[in-house]
Amino acid sequence: MSLDQKSETVKEFYETTEKKTLLLSLKAGNVGLTLTCASHVIILDPFWNPYVEFQAIDRTHRIGQTKEVYVHRILIEKTIEDRIMRLQEEKQEMVDAALDPEGRKSINRLGRRELGFLFGLNGLSEDD
């Protein structure tokens, strides 16, 4: 979608009074949007880096938001999505435990062990 098309779509999303849905990819939803007219965020395809999701969700949590915002995750158990959520938890714990800015850099990369875990090739423990 071009920048003009994106702007027009967001404008229409704000102006319509009918029930409405705006579908966004995490990539489109985490950059340069303010969607304070939205009240529900539904994540169907989780991303291994929790901060990408947080940033996309924050599009609705802007100055001017007057409604309560609900975040829903629709996931299927025992799939790669389950493992992505576990990986998100691990990444979140790493960043929370980091005492210096260098700790945040590791959140943006997946190592071999983490890739193997996502595709069910190994467990995610210190021994792998």
Side-chain angles (χ1 to χ4, degrees):
M1 196 179 261
S2 72
L3 188 56
D4 289 340
Q5 290 172 318
K6 186 176 174 181
S7 295
E8 185 60 32
T9 300
V10 171
K11 181 181 172 190
E12 287 176 28
F13 188 63
Y14 271 91
E15 291 174 352
T16 184
T17 57
E18 302 169 15
K19 289 185 177 181
K20 58 196 173 224
T21 302
L22 179 63
L23 298 176
L24 295 170
S25 70
L26 281 175
K27 185 176 180 181
N30 76 354
V31 177
L33 287 177
T34 298
L35 297 171
T36 55
C37 66
S39 58
H40 290 268
V41 176
I42 302 169
I43 297 175
L44 297 171
D45 189 17
F47 193 72
W48 62 269
N49 180 342
Y51 295 95
V52 171
E53 286 186 21
F54 295 161
Q55 193 174 30
I57 292 166
D58 285 347
R59 301 300 112 196
T60 59
H61 290 284
R62 294 276 187 231
I63 294 174
Q65 177 58 275
T66 59
K67 300 176 254 176
E68 190 166 352
V69 175
Y70 301 91
V71 177
H72 312 274
R73 280 190 172 86
I74 299 175
L75 305 169
I76 299 171
E77 286 186 55
K78 298 181 181 174
T79 64
I80 193 169
E81 294 166 339
D82 243 359
R83 294 187 295 272
I84 287 173
M85 295 309 296
R86 200 162 135 216
L87 193 56
Q88 276 190 6
E89 290 170 12
E90 183 177 290
K91 292 288 186 184
Q92 180 75 44
E93 288 171 9
M94 280 177 24
V95 170
D96 289 346
L99 298 176
D100 64 327
E102 291 299 311
R104 292 190 184 265
K105 288 183 181 176
S106 66
I107 195 76
N108 290 320
R109 291 187 299 275
L110 283 176
R112 278 186 163 166
R113 185 173 67 98
E114 294 161 327
L115 284 169
F117 169 72
L118 285 178
F119 293 101
L121 301 174
N122 63 344
L124 190 59
S125 68
E126 296 301 314
D127 300 332
D128 291 334

